[in-house]
Structures are given as structure tokens and as C-alpha cells.
């Protein structure tokens, strides 16, 4: 039987968990829109960047998503459970994005592309993990038919 390291969905779950935790501290979500004559428009000062750790509910949602993705790595013997956990983790990322876009954003803040790109990579890696779980299910069902 395949071990969990040989399965590609485990790597995608791990990638999603890594990106979900890195975005909290490393990549800004919002940048302050202050264009005066003394500042250059392309330079953003560190005090003008807002990270996900500044937004409590979005932060909790993304941490839960990373925890669910990490837990689902070790559920490699239960493919249906892995698919459900993948769906739950993607849903938590969607909640985080909706909280950021609709509740936390305002006129003075511009959305940072780096932060949303990390959220998208995390969500897309969960989608790929789900694809490989389905592929494993098809492979196992075809092997059962041959027996």
C-alpha cells in the first residue's frame, strides 16, 4: 500500500498549510493609500502595510484552514474524510477572503496582490489535492472491478 509521502495530495495539503501560515506574518493583505507629494507611489513603508495578523476573525479562519489541511495529511487511509476536510479547508479560506474584502476593507486601504496570491495558491493547492484524491478513488475502484 502507498505511504502518505508517495501520494501527491499529501504534498498539496502540506503546501496549502505552509502558504496559509506564511501569509499571516510575511505578506501584507492591505496597503495604505496615501499619495502625497512627499512619498513615491511605488514605495510602501512598513507602517503602511497591514498583515493578516491585524484582523482577528480572518486570521482565525486561515489558521483553522491550515490546521485542517495539516490534519488531513494524516488521514491518507480515509479518502472520503480527506475530501471532506479539503472542502472544509477551502471553505475557511473563502470565509477569510470574504471577511477581508467585504468587512475589513475601506477607502483608505488598497488590496495587496501578494497576500491575495498566497490565498489563491493555498486554495488552488487544496483543489489539486481534491483532484488527486478523486483519481486515487477511481484507481482503487477500477482495481476492485478487475478482481
Amino acid at each position: 500500500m502507498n505511504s502518505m509521502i508517495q501520494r501527491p495530495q499529501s504534498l498539496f495539503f502540506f503546501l496549502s498549510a505552509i502558504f496559509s501560515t506564511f501569509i499571516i506574518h510575511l505578506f501584507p493583505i492591505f496597503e495604505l493609500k496615501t499619495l502625497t507629494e512627499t512619498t513615491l507611489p511605488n514605495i510602501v513603508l512598513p507602517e503602511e502595510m497591514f498583515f493578516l495578523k491585524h484582523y482577528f476573525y480572518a486570521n482565525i479562519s486561515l489558521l483553522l484552514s491550515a490546521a485542517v489541511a495539516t490534519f488531513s495529511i494524516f488521514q491518507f487511509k480515509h479518502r472520503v474524510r480527506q475530501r471532506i476536510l479539503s472542502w472544509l479547508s477551502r471553505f475557511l479560506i473563502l470565509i477569510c477572503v470574504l471577511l477581508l474584502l467585504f468587512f475589513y476593507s475601506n477607502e483608505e486601504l488598497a488590496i495587496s496582490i501578494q497576500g491575495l496570491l498566497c490565498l489563491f495558491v493555498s486554495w488552488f493547492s487544496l483543489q489539486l489535492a481534491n483532484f488527486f484524491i478523486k483519481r486515487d478513488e477511481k484507481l482503487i475502484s477500477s482495481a476492485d472491478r478487475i478482481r
Side-chain angles (χ1 to χ4, degrees), residues 44-51:
V44 179
L45 299 174
E47 62 268 3
E48 295 176 342
M49 293 188 290
F50 295 96
F51 295 90

Side-chain angles (χ1 to χ4, degrees), residues 62-125:
L62 205 59
L63 283 176
L64 283 175
S65 172
V68 168
T70 304
F71 176 70
S72 61
I73 291 172
F74 301 106
Q75 299 298 313
F76 60 94
K77 291 184 180 180
H78 308 284
R79 289 175 306 280
V80 175
R81 188 179 302 159
Q82 263 190 334
R83 287 181 63 196
I84 292 170
L85 291 172
S86 171
W87 178 85
L88 178 65
S89 188
R90 284 183 301 184
F91 183 71
L92 289 168
I93 291 173
L94 178 68
I95 288 174
C96 177
V97 169
L98 291 176
L99 282 171
L100 289 172
L101 292 180
F102 293 114
F103 293 112
Y104 292 133
S105 64
N106 58 28
E107 302 85 32
E108 294 125 14
L109 297 175
I111 296 173
S112 174
I113 299 298
Q114 297 167 340
L116 284 183
L117 183 66
C118 280
L119 283 172
F120 177 74
V121 167
S122 180
W123 186 86
F124 189 69
S125 66

